[in-house]
């Protein structure tokens, strides 16, 4: 179990010193500088697309470990506040690098998914997540396959949870997506991705068997 | 062209303002800067500093780095305020406030269930591990009628914060290690006030104060305090036993239970206890002890 932890949390992308820091944090958060750990994690999430989708789990583990060991909240607080800073600067980030922007959205959504408060998603993150998704649903972003891909991925993962937290915003978001699909000049992949997510939500956040076949099977004509 | 007209309506973000207006994020100050980090009289007893980091046992805090900054704190929470009073919220604080609310609601459900169980006892009644603050539902004399709970969330959160301050002390840690729950004697050992009972503000604040004073008996030893510490921890039951011994020997004229040397030190002990423990009960008992004491020796 211990040996697989490296792969489990996909921390091979970090340098050795950082890997050591993270492993120590996972076992005994009381002995490390948790602010540093949270910064390391956020920094890496903004660079590494794969890590940004999985970092939520490593954060969750550290938070549980800290709560158990010291009854403290230092890591979570530092993580959230750093995340908030990045969120505030998201428009600049988007201008600077689409990849970083997409990583940021993935990371915030991943955190929303994993870090729950008494099994309820963090209410403080609901509007920020919606903000990010609305930004991705703007027409300039829809032109960009990378951004559309990110958008649909997040909706697949946390769409139903987000809808429960705020149905009205989800309706508005999907109105935008529908309009974008119908009226915008999108790439064929972009159009396909949007159509799939529209069907996905219409089916209650799941894909019917026929839809699954349509979207995800090889087409043999 | 018609399609273009339609499309142009959606190039500007229609909902950006609407969504973000409910929360403001313009907060550049780190969340800890508005909290007092300075040393206080009880700093050495607090397990955790104001920034949440664990202190090592005898660390003395340096005066706060940012507490004298020119700008006003962006957000602050005190037990007296109605929840986090913030001009600008940061996510860390918001989530902690959420967690506090959620914990209080969960505690309430558990407490209600426990009260119901007390009314309708079941064979395999399990004590849940949480909400150890409100364990006295079985005491029917004290337990509130089902409709008589404190339910106001603001009040409950304020009370929980006060309880948390008390529990976040080295004294409390030492106390719970020292005296397991089943060994606790009412009146002798401090008991966490029950936040679900109806009390006036003054009554509650007084209970908290008394509770915390009692907890100080388990403070980590300071330089001159250690002798007094040991004396305070003597079980008052011992004094009661001594009373009975004195009565018997006075009546029957049998041998003195202790040598005069030892009994003089006992007198010192009793005097010290009388001075240290402010509660009414122990004062009465001590004055009765003194009475028998005089009878016996003079």
């Amino acid at each position: 179990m211990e040996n697989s932890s490296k792969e489990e949390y996909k921390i091979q992308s970090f340098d050795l010193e950082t890997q050591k820091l993270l492993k120590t944090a996972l076992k005994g958060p009381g002995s490390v500088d948790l602010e540093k750990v949270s910064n390391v994690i956020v920094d890496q999430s903004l660079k590494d697309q794969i890590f940004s989708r999985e970092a939520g789990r490593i954060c969750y583990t550290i938070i549980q470990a800290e709560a158990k060991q010291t009854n403290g909240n230092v890591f979570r607080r530092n993580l959230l506040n750093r995340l908030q800073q990045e969120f505030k600067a998201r428009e600049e980030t988007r201008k600077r690098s689409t990849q970083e922007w997409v990583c940021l959205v993935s990371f915030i959504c991943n955190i929303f998914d994993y870090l729950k408060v008494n099994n309820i998603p963090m209410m403080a993150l609901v509007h920020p997540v919606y903000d990010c998704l609305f930004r991705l649903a703007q027409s300039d972003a829809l032109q960009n396959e990378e951004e559309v891909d990110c958008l649909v991925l997040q909706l697949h993962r946390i769409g139903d949870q987000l809808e429960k937290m705020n149905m009205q915003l989800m309706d508005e978001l999907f109105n935008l997506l529908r309009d974008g699909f119908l009226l915008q000049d999108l790439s064929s992949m972009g159009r396909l991705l949007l159509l799939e997510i529209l069907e996905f939500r219409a089916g209650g956040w799941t894909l019917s068997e026929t839809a699954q076949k349509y979207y995800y099977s090889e087409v043999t004509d | 062209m018609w399609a273009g007209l339609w499309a142009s309506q959606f190039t500007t973000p229609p909902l950006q303002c609407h969504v973000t207006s409910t929360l403001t994020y313009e907060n550049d100050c780190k969340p800890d800067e508005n909290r007092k980090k300075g040393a206080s009289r009880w700093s050495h007893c607090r397990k955790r500093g104001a920034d949440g980091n664990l202190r090592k046992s005898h660390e003395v805090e340096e005066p706060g780095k940012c507490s004298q900054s020119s700008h006003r704190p962006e957000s602050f929470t005190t037990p007296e305020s109605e929840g986090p009073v913030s001009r600008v919220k940061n996510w860390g604080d918001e989530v902690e406030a959420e967690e506090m609310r959620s914990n209080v609601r969960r505690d309430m459900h558990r407490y209600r269930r426990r009260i119901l169980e007390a009314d309708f006892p079941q064979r395999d009644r399990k004590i849940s591990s949480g909400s150890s603050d409100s364990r006295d539902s079985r005491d029917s004399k004290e337990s509130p009628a089902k409709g008589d709970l404190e339910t106001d969330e603001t009040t409950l959160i304020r009370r929980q914060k006060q309880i948390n301050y008390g529990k976040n002390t080295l004294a409390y840690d030492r106390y719970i290690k020292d005296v397991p729950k089943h060994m606790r004697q009412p009146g002798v050992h401090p008991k966490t006030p029950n936040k679900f009972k109806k009390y006036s503000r003054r009554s509650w604040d007084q209970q908290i104060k008394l509770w915390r004073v009692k907890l100080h008996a388990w403070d980590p030893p300071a330089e001159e305090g250690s002798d007094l510490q040991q004396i305070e921890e003597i079980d008052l039951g011992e004094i009661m036993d001594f009373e009975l011994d004195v009565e018997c020997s006075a009546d029957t004229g049998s041998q003195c239970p202790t040598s005069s040397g030892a009994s003089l030190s006992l007198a010192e002990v009793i005097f010290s206890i009388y001075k240290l423990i402010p509660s009414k009960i122990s004062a009465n008992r001590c004055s009765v002890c003194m009475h028998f004491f005089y009878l016996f020796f003079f």
Side-chain angles (χ1 to χ4, degrees):
Chain A
M1 194 66 152
E2 278 303 309
N3 292 336
S4 68
S5 61
K6 230 196 222 183
E7 287 77 66
E8 220 183 274
Y9 295 115
K10 295 197 173 68
I11 63 174
Q12 308 97 308
S13 47
F14 290 99
D15 62 77
L16 281 171
E17 199 192 306
T18 314
Q19 283 189 41
K20 203 169 135 201
L21 175 69
L22 288 175
K23 275 191 256 181
T24 316
L26 286 165
K27 280 186 228 148
S31 55
V32 295
D33 179 356
L34 289 171
E35 191 178 334
K36 183 171 176 196
V37 174
S38 64
N39 282 325
V40 154
I41 290 178
V42 175
D43 288 335
Q44 187 66 16
S45 302
L46 297 179
K47 285 186 277 187
D48 181 342
Q49 213 154 17
I50 296 176
F51 189 72
S52 69
R53 298 177 195 169
E54 301 293 324
R57 274 193 309 143
I58 195 174
C59 291
Y60 176 77
T61 309
I62 296 178
I63 289 174
Q64 299 296 100
E66 192 196 342
K68 192 174 171 189
Q69 196 187 54
T70 64
N71 211 28
N73 254 336
V74 173
F75 177 75
R76 185 177 72 180
R77 199 180 324 134
N78 279 309
L79 175 72
L80 288 172
N81 291 333
R82 173 71 203 279
L83 200 57
Q84 187 177 14
Q85 283 175 26
E86 296 297 332
F87 172 75
K88 274 197 306 177
R90 64 195 183 279
E91 201 55 46
E92 294 99 81
T93 302
R94 181 175 182 274
K95 286 197 184 86
R96 185 176 63 238
S97 152
T98 310
Q99 224 241 6
E100 247 189 82
W101 154 241
V102 157
C103 283
L104 173 62
V105 177
S106 283
F107 185 50
I108 293 184
C109 292
N110 199 234
I111 292 291
F112 176 83
D113 197 10
Y114 275 98
L115 300 197
K116 301 217 160 60
V117 171
N118 288 332
N119 289 324
I120 306 168
M122 293 182 178
M123 284 192 268
L125 292 183
V126 172
H127 280 179
V129 167
Y130 269 118
D131 277 353
C132 291
L133 299 183
F134 272 103
R135 184 63 187 87
L136 288 171
Q138 300 307 307
S139 51
D140 58 347
L142 290 180
Q143 293 296 127
N144 188 342
E145 252 174 54
E146 214 180 331
E147 290 183 80
V148 180
D149 187 58
C150 176
L151 173 65
V152 302
L153 177 66
Q154 307 318 321
L155 285 172
H156 275 116
R157 286 179 146 202
I158 60 171
D160 55 347
Q161 293 180 58
L162 272 179
E163 188 180 67
K164 281 198 194 88
M165 304 295 284
N166 192 322
M167 173 74 91
Q168 190 194 354
L169 282 178
M170 191 54 83
D171 285 339
E172 287 170 5
L173 177 66
F174 267 76
N175 287 338
L176 275 184
L177 294 182
R178 203 170 295 118
D179 292 336
F181 173 79
L182 291 172
L183 306 165
Q184 265 186 254
D185 193 15
L186 303 171
S187 70
S188 56
M189 180 51 106
R191 220 178 274 280
L192 189 67
L193 291 171
L194 284 185
L195 187 61
E196 195 268 357
I197 197 68
L198 290 167
E199 272 208 59
F200 187 72
R201 186 196 181 207
W205 301 101
T206 184
L207 223 43
S208 71
E209 219 185 287
T210 31
Q212 181 86 9
K213 280 201 195 118
Y214 177 77
Y215 291 105
Y216 293 106
S217 318
E218 298 275 325
V219 178
T220 49
D221 254 340
Chain B
M1 197 176 100
W2 174 75
L5 276 173
W6 270 93
S8 68
Q9 277 184 54
F10 299 102
T11 48
T12 53
L15 294 148
Q16 205 80 340
C17 307
H18 153 77
V19 167
T20 57
S21 62
T22 49
L23 294 170
T24 44
Y25 311 115
E26 319 318 309
N27 175 16
D28 294 318
C29 184
K30 276 207 269 218
D32 302 309
E33 283 172 332
N34 53 46
R35 296 198 195 154
K36 198 174 74 149
K37 280 187 181 158
S40 69
R41 233 170 101 217
W42 306 114
S43 284
H44 75 286
C45 299
R46 229 174 275 140
K47 200 167 71 176
R48 209 184 306 283
D51 56 2
N53 287 313
L54 268 187
R55 294 178 198 225
K56 302 179 186 63
S57 27
H58 295 287
E59 212 175 77
V60 174
E61 292 281 298
E62 297 293 305
K65 289 177 259 174
C66 188
S67 50
Q68 310 307 323
S69 63
S70 52
H71 66 268
R72 299 169 68 202
E74 260 108 11
S75 79
F76 51 92
T77 305
T78 61
E80 289 73 37
S81 67
E82 310 303 291
V85 181
S86 48
R87 298 176 193 93
V88 174
K89 281 183 175 158
N90 62 60
W91 291 359
D93 288 346
E94 273 190 64
V95 169
E96 279 182 26
E98 268 179 55
E99 193 172 46
M100 171 95 37
R101 271 197 302 274
S102 167
N103 285 343
V104 160
R105 282 187 204 133
R106 179 201 59 195
D107 286 353
M108 170 103 79
H109 289 140
R110 285 184 182 157
Y111 186 64
R112 282 205 159 111
R113 243 182 287 142
R114 213 178 276 140
I115 291 183
L116 283 172
E117 279 172 17
D119 288 343
F120 306 102
Q122 288 146 13
R123 255 173 291 143
D124 45 320
R125 185 155 37 142
K126 282 173 274 179
I127 309 285
S128 63
S129 53
S131 184
S132 47
D133 295 347
S134 325
R135 300 197 79 86
D136 55 2
S137 55
R138 271 182 285 180
D139 185 353
S140 54
K141 192 169 54 151
E142 285 184 25
S143 111
K146 260 166 276 171
D148 216 18
L149 289 178
E150 179 59 70
T151 53
D152 176 45
E153 216 168 72
T154 317
T155 308
L156 288 171
I157 289 174
R158 178 183 11 101
R159 290 182 178 182
Q160 186 63 56
K161 278 194 192 129
Q162 289 170 294
I163 290 171
N164 290 346
Y165 287 149
K167 289 191 170 181
N168 180 26
T169 55
L170 289 169
Y172 186 78
D173 266 1
R174 296 176 84 233
Y175 169 54
I176 54 178
K177 284 188 192 119
D178 197 30
V179 187
K181 281 214 181 101
H182 59 274
M183 302 272 281
R184 293 202 197 149
Q185 297 167 3
V188 176
H189 292 122
K191 184 176 164 188
T192 309
N194 180 346
K195 66 179 177 278
F196 291 114
K197 293 206 184 134
K198 286 274 193 194
Y199 295 114
S200 69
R201 178 68 187 267
R202 278 182 59 169
S203 165
W204 172 264
D205 287 349
Q206 184 71 350
Q207 285 182 59
I208 287 282
K209 211 186 296 182
L210 290 172
W211 172 62
R212 299 209 53 190
V213 166
K214 274 189 168 176
L215 281 174
H216 278 307
W218 278 266
D219 276 345
E223 293 84 77
E224 67 267 9
S226 31
D227 295 332
L228 295 178
Q229 296 275 20
Q230 288 166 9
I231 291 164
E232 264 191 282
E233 284 166 31
I234 287 179
D235 197 334
L236 284 177
E238 286 175 37
I239 299 177
M240 295 309 293
D241 292 338
F242 178 76
E243 271 186 66
L244 293 171
D245 288 342
V246 170
E247 257 190 71
C248 292
S249 36
D251 288 341
T252 59
S254 58
Q255 77 240 35
C256 171
T258 57
S259 68
S260 53
S263 51
L264 276 175
S265 62
L266 268 171
E268 283 172 2
V269 163
I270 292 177
F271 268 117
S272 312
I273 294 173
Y274 181 76
K275 270 192 288 189
L276 284 169
I277 301 178
S279 72
K280 269 194 212 159
I281 296 169
S282 26
N284 285 338
R285 284 189 180 147
C286 283
S287 57
V288 166
C289 298
M290 298 314 304
H291 186 66
F292 279 116
F293 217 80
Y294 283 121
L295 271 180
F296 188 74
F297 287 110
F298 304 100

